[in-house]
Structures are given as structure tokens and as C-alpha cells.
Amino acid sequence: MTTFDLDGCLRCSACELAATRHKVVVGRGNPVAPLMLIGEAPGAQEDQSGVPFKGRSGQALDRLLMEAGFNVDEDIYICNAVKCRPPSNRRPKKNELAACRPWLDMQIALVNPAVIVLTGATAVEALLGTKAAMTQLRGKWQSWQGRSVMPIFHPAYLLRHAQTKEGGPVELTRQDLLAVRTRLCER
Ligand code: URA
Ligand code: SF4
């Protein structure tokens, strides 16, 4: 039986982000969901609340997930590649991604999702080690340790390109989430 050392995670100081964080942001949603979504890192609101995807990006994400037919409390477990906020919301460094990886691996082992959604290039780099543009990665199924993996645009990127032009990033993300839903239904 896999367990998650929650106390250990909440007290973790394995990288320099520990010095400036307020709260360690572990995860939200259903810890035995068939779908896991991994973002980049906590922002200001997440750092204050301890809840991932709590701010504007999170609201945009929740809306898209609901539109795709998901119940965000029951159908998904949501977390980030690193659990502590990088100062000024800079990208997590390679050594920080590496330091936090054991926590992510423990979460994946515990949730045991059939499908993993990676939002944005940092999440893709953190899990798969691949560095490429999201315009190339998104919408294409990958496989990791027997799990289906779908990279999608980060919701912060979608907020910057919110005009719902046909074929724009918001519409493409809707398509990607519908593909995820279809895959989960086919299981
Ligand atoms: N909030 C999060 O928790 N993660 C992100 O990647 C962005 C905002
Ligand atoms: Fe530990 Fe991860 Fe926080 Fe770094 S970001 S202190 S590795 S929990």
C-alpha cells in the first residue's frame, strides 16, 4: 500500500523554495481519481491558501474542465510539479523540479491515474523530461509508465489569448479535454 508522507511534505526543505513559501501546496480533488492534472507551481493565491489552481488560472481551468463534462471535485486530482511558490512566480529551476520530483512520484503512485494531463511546458519537462513548444506538444497523446499523458496549454496562456477565435488556443484546449474525457470513458 502506497502512502503519502503528508507531514513530511508540509515540512519539506529539500530546495531553496522552502525559504520563501508560506504554505506547501500539495493537491486538491479526489486522491483516487482516474485523472490527474499537473501544473507548474503555486502562485500567490495558492501560496496563501495552500490550494493548487486557486487564483485566476485555476478559475479558468475549472471552467474548462466543467465545460468538458468533468466534476472537478470528484473526477480529478490536481497538483503541481513543485509544491512551493517560486519568488515573483519565476519558472521553477531544474534542480527544484528534481528536488520535488519524489513528492510528485509519490502522488502519482498513490492516485494511480489512468490519464495524466500536463498543463504547460514546465509540467511536461518535469514529468517527461521533454523540452518543446506547447504548440508542438499539445493535443498529442504520450505514454508514461503505462499511463496516457495529454499535454495542454497552461490556463495562464489561455487567459492571455482569451479571444475565442476559431482554432485559437482556448478552442484547441477544449478539444484536448474532450479527447481526455473520451479516453477515460473508453476504459
Ligand atoms: N496555479 C497553480 O497552482 N499552478 C499553476 O501552474 C498555475 C497557477
Ligand atoms: Fe520541498 Fe518541493 Fe517545496 Fe522544494 S518545492 S521545498 S522540494 S516541497
Side-chain angles (χ1 to χ4, degrees):
M1 175 77 191
T2 311
T3 53
F4 187 80
D5 178 12
L6 184 61
D7 284 345
C9 190
L10 295 175
R11 281 186 279 105
C12 178
S13 58
C15 82
E16 69 185 63
L17 298 180
T20 47
R21 72 168 181 241
H22 291 100
K23 287 196 173 150
V24 177
V25 179
V26 180
R28 70 162 154 110
N30 179 357
V32 292
L35 172 61
M36 181 160 164
L37 182 141
I38 305 172
E40 177 172 313
Q45 308 218 35
E46 292 80 15
D47 181 57
Q48 288 297 328
S49 63
V51 179
F53 283 103
K54 176 94 175 154
R56 275 191 76 215
S57 282
Q59 285 156 23
L61 176 68
D62 282 358
R63 201 175 328 115
L64 282 163
L65 289 168
M66 283 188 288
E67 283 169 10
F70 293 105
N71 178 323
V72 292
D73 297 317
E74 288 175 16
D75 300 336
I76 313 170
Y77 183 78
I78 296 178
C79 66
N80 284 304
V82 297
K83 314 301 178 212
C84 303
R85 182 193 183 198
S88 316
N89 297 343
R90 66 161 171 74
R91 273 187 77 165
K93 297 175 189 169
K94 216 175 155 71
N95 68 310
E96 294 159 353
L97 292 172
C100 216
R101 179 63 191 259
W103 296 121
L104 183 62
D105 282 334
M106 260 185 264
Q107 285 175 301
I108 297 171
L110 190 69
V111 177
N112 192 21
V115 178
I116 298 176
V117 169
L118 301 172
T119 63
T122 304
V124 173
E125 188 190 337
L127 187 74
L128 305 176
T130 321
K131 269 194 172 183
M134 284 312 297
T135 46
Q136 294 303 313
L137 293 165
R138 65 135 285 275
K140 296 184 188 133
W141 283 111
Q142 313 231 17
S143 177
W144 180 81
Q145 294 194 349
R147 308 178 199 278
S148 301
V149 177
M150 173 61 81
I152 66 170
F153 287 122
H154 194 282
Y157 175 84
L158 299 182
L159 286 171
R160 292 196 296 274
H161 298 81
Q163 319 88 316
T164 22
K165 282 188 241 99
E166 241 176 273
V170 175
E171 188 177 314
L172 293 173
T173 304
R174 288 204 178 100
Q175 291 171 14
D176 297 345
L177 290 174
L178 285 174
V180 168
R181 195 162 157 71
T182 303
R183 169 103 13 146
L184 284 163
C185 290
E186 283 166 356
R187 282 184 317 136

